[in-house]
Amino acid sequence: MAIVKSWSLLEMLNKFNQTLCLVVACSITTFANASALEQFKSFVNGTKAARGEFTQRMVKKDGESGNLKLSNASDGSFQFARPGKFIWIYKKPYEQILQADGEKLFIYDKDLNQVTIKTLGNAIGSSPAAILFGSNDLEKNFTLSEVGMREGIEWLQAIPKADRKSVV
């Protein structure tokens, strides 16, 4: 039953993709004079769906030396329709699919041949995934602040207001 939902979600996201391109193109002129925080809020409020590819790396502090270590890259693709519907596919280094239908999160691990099902709200919570897939009420779950410009890019900081209880 979940597979049927995922394919209808994929079809829906493909239709939304053209709308997203128009929204982004129209928003570019608005962003020119806005602060980084205003730009971010406008993007989150105006973006209802998207798809793309990603490369993910985590930066961790080494406990012994205090040096920063960069993890091996993970990559894959994603599609989402806000709030709460998404498919996040990891291709490397391990195949895994995270899929949400707005109520439940299904995590399929190919190597284990196993699906784990969680309640979506509890699984996303104050994780970075909540920024893309959650509701537009970012300031309910995050403290947002501007941290200045570096290398020509304005940076924001999003600190979760609650402890993360999930790895999503």
Side-chain angles (χ1 to χ4, degrees), residues 136-147:
N136 290 350
D137 194 7
L138 290 175
E139 292 175 299
K140 175 182 173 188
N141 294 314
F142 297 92
T143 301
L144 302 172
S145 60
E146 297 190 34
V147 292

Side-chain angles (χ1 to χ4, degrees), residues 44-57:
V44 169
N45 289 329
T47 304
K48 304 298 179 211
R51 67 180 171 169
E53 295 180 341
F54 68 89
T55 297
Q56 175 181 335
R57 297 190 85 169

Side-chain angles (χ1 to χ4, degrees), residues 76-135:
S77 62
F78 68 90
Q79 293 188 5
F80 70 87
R82 299 178 79 215
K85 296 177 182 156
F86 65 87
I87 299 174
W88 192 272
I89 301 171
Y90 285 95
K91 296 176 186 167
K92 290 192 300 189
Y94 308 104
E95 290 186 51
Q96 188 177 53
I97 299 173
L98 288 77
Q99 175 184 329
D101 64 5
E103 296 176 16
K104 295 188 186 227
L105 173 65
F106 302 87
I107 303 169
Y108 171 66
D109 187 309
K110 184 177 180 180
D111 290 340
L112 298 176
N113 194 28
Q114 173 179 304
V115 175
T116 303
I117 302 172
K118 298 181 178 186
T119 302
L120 185 60
N122 295 338
I124 291 180
S126 294
S127 73
I131 295 172
L132 280 181
F133 313 132
S135 70

